Amino acid sequence: MLLNGAEILINCLLEQGVDTIFGYPGGAVLNIYDALYKYQDKITHVLTCHEQGAAHAADGYARSSGKVGVCLATSGPGATNLVTGIATAYMDSIPLVAITGNVTMPLLGKDSFQEVDISGITMPITKHNYMVKDINKLPDIIREAFYIAKEGRPGPVLIDIPKDITGQTAIYEHQEPVEPKRKNKYITREALEKVAKLINQSERPFIFAGGGVIASSSENELKQLVNKINAPITTSLMGIGAYDSNDNLYTGMIGMHGTKASNLLATKCDLLIAIGTRFSDRVLSDREHIENAKIVHIDVDPAEINKNIKVDSYIIGDIKLVLSKLIPLINEKNNLEWLDTMSFLKKQKAIVDRQEEALTPQFLFQKLNEITNGNLIMTTDVGQHQMWAALYYNFKYPRTYISSGGLGTMGYGLGAAIGSQFANKDKLVVDISGDGSFGMNCNELATIVSNKLPIVIIVMNNNSLGMVRQWQNFFYEERYSHTTLNRETNFVKLAEAYGLKGYRVEYKEELDGVLREAIGCKRPVLIDYIINEDKKVFPMVAPGEPISKVICEKDIMELASANVSE
């Protein structure tokens, strides 16, 4: 079949099962948009308000569905506006294919209008990228890009296509997509037996699960392992949802804002079993902090083994395959004394129990737990609200906590909510944001309304850049340099201007009714949730300190009292 390059592109996307693209048109991609017009009955294009919103939407689509997300932008500024979204996906190992247009071949390298070397710009933040210079190679490049995005450790791939390539014609022949095989080259009997021996010998095992468990769809195997050795389990931020947070053996998130139980168990265990995680500096970056424990690392990416933490044993390979082969070699355990220690530590409170008339973060997530019972997809921006969501909402299922972990991208949540809703049309999607993050990409409210997406947006409004302010409070002697916003933005009126239903919640007795009405009305809603600017995320570990040095609210109160006494 003789087709032009743009039509070949669309047909190859259809081969890969793509049903939704997020993008923004421009001169260099006019041929592609003309093809999208012709194929609109087969593939949905979602017009966002900004290319960064398109990248975040494709990312949210991928995280919440397990499929490859696709975004499309024109050359020059359109392409560079994708960069933050591509980097976000790269840091969190999210399968994404970003397609950009470029100037025609004769104009490349001449500083032409809206020309930029997007391949060079994105080289450090993609698994691979392409500049298509031969239309005959276009189909194979597209197929290979999807394969690379999904294979092994997932990640983003960029395809840059000059405009004249999309206008040229070539023969297209349909091919069925090739699904990547699960990596098993290094899953040897010797490696399995060595790890099994360490687990069988341990008396205080502690399991640490990361986003790799979710990426490999290994939640069932993880639960089998937990139950067989009767071990406490923690997750990284990216691993939230890999294990039911309501289960008694779950101890909450680990790391800088991890629970006291998780952080202390990591220092008291005799074996830390790390699965699908990269030992981020926000979790654990110094082996000396848990010097009494041996460490086992299971991961698909060889580059992560011994990169940040020196381990005692490891298995490289697809986690689902590794665990299916490892579990039969492991003895059942009861670990009763160790579980008593876990239970004691789980009772330690990070915040002081007191009756508060004002709205609190905990109260919001308590109500969300009551009303939704874990049956939602929650996207977040980045900051205090992100940590409060991770600490206080009870996630039961994988792919329901959608958040930027590695890059920490403010403005991520709204685009991710759009992508998540398109991928999960029958599910409730709730976006948790802060007033600082919300200001980054609030223009995507128009996208939500235009597409009639029943997303519930909750802005935790403390009139500040809360997390930065918290650090200024702890480490900069309360010099709040440019973190108090004072913007006087009326979020309810802003929501109404865009066509959403807007609510402001200032008192506790208002919240239950507002949440139930917002969820039940099946239309886009924004809730302005007013909290005090000095509310802090607890627990907290100071940068560079051992994770055992957990700062709780009581510690800060006692320190402040001692300073007053002096």
Side-chain angles (χ1 to χ4, degrees):
M1 178 185 330
L2 188 66
L3 300 174
N4 68 28
E7 293 169 327
I8 290 172
L9 168 64
I10 301 304
N11 275 277
C12 288
L13 294 178
L14 291 170
E15 282 179 7
Q16 299 296 323
V18 174
D19 55 18
T20 308
I21 300 175
F22 305 90
Y24 204 96
V29 288
L30 278 174
N31 292 331
I32 298 174
Y33 273 85
D34 192 52
L36 281 168
Y37 183 86
K38 297 174 184 176
Y39 287 81
Q40 60 185 292
D41 60 327
K42 295 183 179 179
I43 197 162
T44 299
H45 175 273
V46 181
L47 176 64
T48 56
C49 294
H50 191 284
E51 291 90 351
Q52 185 176 330
H56 292 329
D59 178 303
Y61 182 97
R63 293 189 201 227
S64 63
S65 68
K67 301 177 183 178
V68 178
V70 181
C71 56
L72 171 63
T74 193
S75 62
T80 58
N81 282 344
L82 292 178
V83 169
T84 296
I86 294 170
T88 300
Y90 182 76
M91 290 290 282
D92 290 345
S93 303
I94 305 304
L96 191 74
V97 171
I99 301 165
T100 56
N102 214 325
V103 300
T104 58
M105 295 277 288
L107 293 178
L108 287 172
K110 296 182 178 180
D111 295 331
S112 306
F113 176 68
Q114 290 195 335
E115 181 197 0
V116 73
D117 178 14
I118 194 64
S119 296
I121 289 169
T122 60
M123 190 173 293
I125 55 168
T126 53
K127 281 186 76 176
H128 195 67
N129 62 31
Y130 301 88
M131 161 68 83
V132 183
K133 295 185 177 181
D134 181 350
I135 188 173
N136 295 300
K137 295 181 179 178
L138 179 60
D140 287 341
I141 285 175
I142 296 164
R143 293 161 184 151
E144 190 174 89
F146 275 82
Y147 185 92
I148 291 171
K150 294 183 286 186
E151 187 259 351
R153 180 178 181 172
V157 179
L158 180 130
I159 308 171
D160 192 33
I161 314 175
K163 185 176 182 180
D164 48 347
I165 297 294
T166 61
Q168 295 172 11
T169 57
I171 298 295
Y172 163 77
E173 294 181 1
H174 175 83
Q175 288 186 18
E176 291 299 314
V178 178
E179 289 300 317
K181 293 181 179 179
R182 293 182 178 271
K183 286 186 173 271
N184 63 2
K185 180 179 178 181
Y186 300 108
I187 308 176
T188 65
R189 184 72 182 183
E190 180 183 2
L192 289 165
E193 289 178 347
K194 187 175 180 181
V195 169
K197 183 178 180 180
L198 287 172
I199 295 174
N200 290 335
Q201 290 175 341
S202 80
E203 297 178 353
R204 301 186 306 281
F206 189 35
I207 297 173
F208 169 30
V213 173
I214 296 173
S216 60
S217 302
S218 305
E219 303 84 24
N220 290 336
E221 289 77 10
L222 176 66
K223 185 165 181 59
Q224 290 174 35
L225 175 65
V226 171
N227 290 340
K228 190 163 189 179
I229 66 173
N230 217 22
I233 175 170
T234 183
T235 62
S236 65
L237 185 77
M238 293 302 302
I240 288 175
Y243 196 85
D244 184 353
S245 61
N246 293 299
D247 189 275
N248 183 56
L249 290 173
Y250 184 66
T251 62
M253 184 175 67
I254 191 172
M256 178 175 281
H257 292 293
T259 65
K260 190 170 184 178
S262 292
N263 284 6
L264 292 181
L265 285 167
T267 66
K268 294 177 182 296
C269 69
D270 63 4
L271 180 66
L272 183 67
I273 307 168
I275 307 174
T277 185
R278 60 186 178 87
F279 291 109
S280 157
D281 60 296
R282 286 297 175 104
V283 175
L284 181 70
S285 58
D286 193 334
R287 174 68 187 258
E288 292 181 3
H289 295 169
I290 54 169
E291 59 185 351
N292 295 322
K294 291 186 181 298
I295 302 177
V296 162
H297 194 181
I298 300 171
D299 201 274
V300 74
D301 187 355
E304 292 300 338
I305 305 298
N306 292 322
K307 184 179 85 174
N308 294 330
I309 293 287
K310 178 75 173 174
V311 300
D312 297 280
S313 189
Y314 60 85
I315 305 174
I316 300 168
D318 179 84
I319 292 167
K320 196 177 190 72
L321 286 179
V322 171
L323 293 183
S324 66
K325 293 175 182 292
L326 179 65
I327 290 169
L329 304 178
I330 294 172
N331 302 330
E332 291 188 9
K333 293 173 174 287
N334 57 43
N335 300 317
L336 296 181
E337 291 185 12
W338 179 226
L339 295 186
D340 285 343
T341 301
M342 177 199 73
S343 298
F344 172 78
L345 292 174
K346 284 180 70 173
K347 293 174 184 176
Q348 308 300 304
K349 297 288 181 69
I351 56 174
V352 176
D353 282 329
R354 55 177 176 269
Q355 291 297 114
E356 294 189 62
E357 293 184 7
L359 294 172
T360 64
Q362 299 94 305
F363 185 68
L364 170 62
F365 292 105
Q366 173 191 327
K367 284 295 177 184
L368 276 173
N369 278 319
E370 289 176 8
I371 294 171
T372 64
N373 191 31
N375 294 305
L376 55 60
I377 294 173
M378 183 181 290
T379 67
T380 81
D381 275 293
V382 170
Q384 288 179 312
H385 61 277
Q386 176 191 32
M387 296 298 108
W388 285 322
L391 289 166
Y392 299 135
Y393 189 78
N394 296 327
F395 293 92
K396 298 167 67 174
Y397 310 109
R399 302 192 181 280
T400 55
Y401 181 69
I402 313 297
S403 191
S404 169
L407 197 63
T409 307
M410 292 176 67
Y412 168 81
L414 208 54
I418 292 167
S420 297
Q421 191 71 84
F422 268 100
N424 303 270
K425 292 182 173 61
D426 297 327
K427 291 186 179 180
L428 170 65
V429 176
V430 176
D431 176 39
I432 304 292
S433 190
D435 48 328
S437 284
F438 183 68
M440 294 271 186
N441 279 330
C442 60
N443 51 350
E444 295 303 340
L445 291 176
T447 308
I448 290 173
V449 173
S450 297
N451 291 279
K452 298 180 174 58
L453 304 177
I455 295 168
V456 177
I457 302 151
I458 303 175
V459 180
M460 300 185 72
N461 186 352
N462 60 1
N463 191 41
S464 71
L465 303 178
M467 187 62 85
V468 187
R469 179 184 172 89
Q470 178 167 328
W471 279 48
Q472 288 172 335
N473 179 273
F474 286 167
F475 310 121
Y476 292 87
E477 299 176 340
E478 300 183 16
R479 293 188 293 274
Y480 300 123
S481 178
H482 299 284
T483 49
T484 302
L485 296 178
N486 289 331
R487 289 175 177 163
E488 299 185 9
T489 303
N490 187 320
F491 289 125
V492 173
K493 288 185 177 180
L494 179 68
E496 291 171 349
Y498 273 104
L500 292 86
K501 175 69 175 174
Y503 299 87
R504 176 174 288 110
V505 175
E506 299 181 74
Y507 304 100
K508 281 188 169 181
E509 56 269 23
E510 298 173 327
L511 181 61
D512 187 87
V514 167
L515 278 177
R516 292 183 187 277
E517 186 175 332
I519 292 168
C521 72
K522 304 298 182 184
R523 58 171 289 193
V525 172
L526 184 146
I527 300 171
D528 187 12
Y529 186 80
I530 309 299
I531 59 173
N532 186 279
E533 64 185 5
D534 286 319
K535 280 293 174 188
K536 296 180 176 61
V537 178
F538 291 107
M540 180 176 180
V541 177
E545 291 291 335
I547 60 172
S548 59
K549 290 192 174 181
V550 181
I551 303 170
C552 295
E553 188 177 22
K554 183 179 179 182
D555 302 322
I556 297 297
M557 293 174 65
E558 289 175 351
L559 181 62
S561 177
N563 290 338
V564 169
S565 299
E566 291 175 2

